[in-house]
């Protein structure tokens, strides 16, 4: 083969590898958040640290939280910080401007909606109250940041569902009204921002989940409708913005079906593309924060509350892109034993490992597969709800939930 052809083939191979491997991202499980498992938490990042707090549980027992936790991705550890300044709170919203974190509104432990704004100062581990949001007290609104201003709107108040929006100026500590959201007034929508554009979509109106999506142009103070988010209606989802694109995923519909799909939005073509699904359990009311263009997702519920943390980051090296592993668990729930069967022939069974955690994040079982079937006995791990991870070479291939009654 002529040298020129060899060089061309090598160049083509390098281009293919460089474009297909390095932009590819995977989900990796990290250290569980401190405190109790819960949903409707609020999350934000300041510099190279993530912050998660508040939230509630409302299945069986009603409990609302004020504790806050700081995440250090370098050490993969959580540290409890000062409780939220506004007290117990859930379904609040947050934004970050110039390394300053802000939490606004939400519902408190006495079922009252709020409109207060709090700034967290990490240097002194203190919350300071700022100017109250001038709109109706509410929960479940959305935020985004454009040109150094924080925007907050939509949500649910005692008056019903809302579409108003306001802009916050951190220098003057003042709010000013901007154009109302043009979609139906809604609660539990999601949002993200890029340069001079903010984006809001999905959520729900009374008795109905949504899939519509809108763009806000700050320079014109106007909204326009964009392409719907897939064909799936959803509410209580989560969102983030990385690599120049927006993402929406998880959530559920009004029938109670929870999701783990993730959709990528291309701003220039106004199109949505489904990508690799979330690595953890299906859920609603999850929260995300971004550190150095890496996404962290935590919290939420599928009837069972979560405190797991997942990192969405570029894959390392030339690891193969795993296809979905075919796994069956039966009977599930069970009072005695559950058999785990793996049908895929793409895996060497002795390379696969199983780890099982209880709902508090404590590992209760770990073993390697010897063949494609493994039996878990209730007498070994006890009664309750557990989370199963199937792992190959330190990469989580699949997570599932099992129940022993």
């Amino acid at each position: 083969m002529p040298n020129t052809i060899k060089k061309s083939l090598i160049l083509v191979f390098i281009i293919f590898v460089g474009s297909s491997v390095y932009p590819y991202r995977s989900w990796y499980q990290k250290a569980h958040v401190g405190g109790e498992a819960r949903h409707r938490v609020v999350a934000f990042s300041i510099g190279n640290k993530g912050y998660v707090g508040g939230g509630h549980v409302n299945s069986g027992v009603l409990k609302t939280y004020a504790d806050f936790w700081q995440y250090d991705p370098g050490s993969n550890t959580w540290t409890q910080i000062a409780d939220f300044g506004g007290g117990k709170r859930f379904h609040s919203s947050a934004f970050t401007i110039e390394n300053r974190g802000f939490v606004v509104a939400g519902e408190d432990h006495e079922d009252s909606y709020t409109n207060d704004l709090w700034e967290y100062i990490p240097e002194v581990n203190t919350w300071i109250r700022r100017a109250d949001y001038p709109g109706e007290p509410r929960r479940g609104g959305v935020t985004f940041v454009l040109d150094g201003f924080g925007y907050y709107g939509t949500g649910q108040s005692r008056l019903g569902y809302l579409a108003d929006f306001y802009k916050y100026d951190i220098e003057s500590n003042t709010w000013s009204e901007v154009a109302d959201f043009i979609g139906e007034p809604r609660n539990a929508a999601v949002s993200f921002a890029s340069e001079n554009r903010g984006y809001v979509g999905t959520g729900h109106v009374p008795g109905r989940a949504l899939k519509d999506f809108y763009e806000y142009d700050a320079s014109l103070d106007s909204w326009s409708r964009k392409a719907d988010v897939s064909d799936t209606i959803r509410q209580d989802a989560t969102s983030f913005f990385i690599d120049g694109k927006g993402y929406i995923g998880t959530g559920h519909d009004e029938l109670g079906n929870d999701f783990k799909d993730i959709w990528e939005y291309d701003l220039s073509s106004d199109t949505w593309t489904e990508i690799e699904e979330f690595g953890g359990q299906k859920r609603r009311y999850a929260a995300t924060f971004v550190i150095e263009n890496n996404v962290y997702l935590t919290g939420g519920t599928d009837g069972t509350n979560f405190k797991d943390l997942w990192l969405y980051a570029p894959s390392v090296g030339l690891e193969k892109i795993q296809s979905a592993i075919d796994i069956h668990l039966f009977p599930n729930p069970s009072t005695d034993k559950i058999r785990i069967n793996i049908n895929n022939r793409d895996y060497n069974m002795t390379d696969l490992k199983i780890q099982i955690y209880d709902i508090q994040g404590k590992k209760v079982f770990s073993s390697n597969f010897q063949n494609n079937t493994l039996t878990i006995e209730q007498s070994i791990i006890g009664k309750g709800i557990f989370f199963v991870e199937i792992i190959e070479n330190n990469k989580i291939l699949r997570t599932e939930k099992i129940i022993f009654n």
Side-chain angles (χ1 to χ4, degrees):
M1 182 182 295
N3 287 336
T4 54
I5 297 179
K6 288 182 180 179
K7 291 179 180 178
S8 297
L9 289 175
I10 292 172
L11 179 60
V12 169
F13 176 74
I14 291 173
I15 291 173
F16 174 77
V17 170
S19 62
S20 63
V21 174
Y22 291 100
Y24 178 75
R25 288 176 175 260
S26 295
W27 291 97
Y28 303 93
Q29 191 165 18
K30 310 299 286 185
H32 284 58
V33 182
E36 297 183 52
R38 66 195 77 172
H39 63 282
R40 288 176 173 169
V41 299
V42 67
F44 58 91
S45 60
I46 301 176
N48 63 349
K49 300 291 192 301
Y51 297 85
V52 175
H56 77 156
V57 297
N58 60 350
S59 54
V61 60
L62 300 176
K63 191 180 293 187
T64 304
Y65 301 89
D67 57 328
F68 248 84
W69 299 80
Q70 179 194 75
Y71 179 68
D72 182 345
S75 60
N76 187 31
T77 57
W78 290 91
T79 302
Q80 188 168 6
I81 61 173
D83 285 356
F84 175 59
K88 297 178 179 179
R89 195 72 58 89
F90 69 93
H91 223 179
S92 299
S93 302
F95 55 91
T96 301
I97 302 175
E98 296 179 359
N99 289 322
R100 300 161 69 177
F102 297 86
V103 174
V104 58
E107 185 172 344
D108 68 19
H109 65 294
E110 296 179 343
D111 298 325
S112 296
Y113 294 137
T114 64
N115 65 346
D116 46 347
L117 174 70
W118 292 82
E119 177 188 352
Y120 178 68
I121 304 176
E123 294 82 2
V124 291
N125 188 27
T126 299
W127 294 90
I128 296 179
R129 188 166 182 172
R130 298 302 188 187
D132 287 354
Y133 179 74
E136 284 292 318
R138 69 192 67 194
R139 72 177 191 187
V142 295
T143 62
F144 50 80
V145 174
L146 301 174
D147 295 329
F149 294 96
Y151 291 76
Y152 178 66
T154 69
Q156 179 180 2
S157 77
R158 296 299 179 194
L159 300 179
Y161 290 7
L162 304 164
D164 57 336
F165 252 87
Y166 287 80
K167 177 175 69 174
Y168 179 68
D169 184 336
I170 64 172
E171 299 304 323
S172 63
N173 187 32
T174 57
W175 292 90
S176 57
E177 190 169 12
V178 297
D180 285 355
F181 177 66
I182 63 172
E184 292 180 81
R186 66 193 61 197
N187 184 35
V190 294
S191 61
F192 53 79
S194 172
E195 297 180 349
N196 202 37
R197 302 284 196 277
Y199 296 88
V200 175
T202 69
H204 67 85
V205 297
R208 181 162 49 91
L210 304 164
K211 62 180 180 180
D212 51 343
F213 187 67
Y214 300 83
E215 176 188 83
Y216 174 74
D217 185 332
S219 64
L220 301 176
D221 187 27
S222 65
W223 294 86
S224 58
R225 184 161 183 174
K226 311 301 285 186
D228 288 351
V229 184
S230 77
D231 294 324
T232 303
I233 57 173
R234 76 183 66 217
Q235 59 195 25
D236 312 320
T238 194
S239 61
F240 50 91
F241 188 87
I242 54 170
D243 300 331
K245 294 183 179 179
Y247 296 83
I248 290 177
T250 67
H252 69 149
D253 60 24
E254 66 262 30
L255 299 178
N257 298 306
D258 292 311
F259 306 131
K260 61 187 296 183
D261 56 335
I262 304 290
W263 291 81
E264 178 185 84
Y265 181 65
D266 187 309
L267 283 65
S268 60
S269 62
D270 186 28
T271 56
W272 293 93
T273 303
E274 187 172 12
I275 61 170
E276 180 186 9
E277 64 183 16
F278 169 57
Q281 288 288 114
K282 296 178 180 179
R283 66 191 64 193
R284 56 193 182 271
Y285 295 121
T288 57
F289 58 88
V290 177
I291 299 175
E292 296 180 348
N293 211 41
N294 289 326
V295 179
Y296 295 84
L297 185 152
T298 188
T301 182
D302 67 352
T304 299
N305 291 287
F306 298 107
K307 56 182 289 183
D308 50 345
L309 177 70
W310 291 81
L311 165 65
Y312 188 53
S315 298
V316 179
L318 298 177
E319 66 178 4
K320 68 176 180 178
I321 298 174
Q322 303 288 1
S323 59
I325 190 167
D326 186 7
I327 180 173
H328 296 277
L329 302 94
F330 57 94
N332 186 27
S334 173
T335 58
D336 182 16
K337 58 185 65 176
I338 295 176
R339 180 175 297 173
I340 299 176
N341 182 264
I342 296 177
N343 293 332
N344 295 63
R345 297 181 179 180
D346 298 334
Y347 301 95
N348 182 342
M349 289 299 114
T350 59
D351 290 338
L352 297 184
K353 183 177 182 180
I354 181 173
Q355 294 184 159
I356 301 179
Y357 296 84
D358 65 18
I359 60 173
Q360 298 303 321
K362 178 183 177 182
K363 186 188 296 184
V364 296
F365 182 84
S366 179
S367 177
N368 288 94
F369 281 85
Q370 299 303 316
N371 50 53
N372 69 331
T373 300
L374 190 148
T375 300
I376 307 299
E377 297 185 5
Q378 185 262 359
S379 61
I380 295 177
I381 68 173
K383 295 182 179 181
I385 298 171
F386 302 89
F387 300 101
V388 177
E389 296 177 349
I390 306 299
I391 300 170
E392 182 192 47
N393 298 327
N394 296 318
K395 179 176 180 180
I396 299 173
L397 303 179
R398 185 77 172 261
T399 61
E400 293 289 343
K401 181 171 72 174
I402 61 174
I403 301 174
F404 277 116
N405 295 318

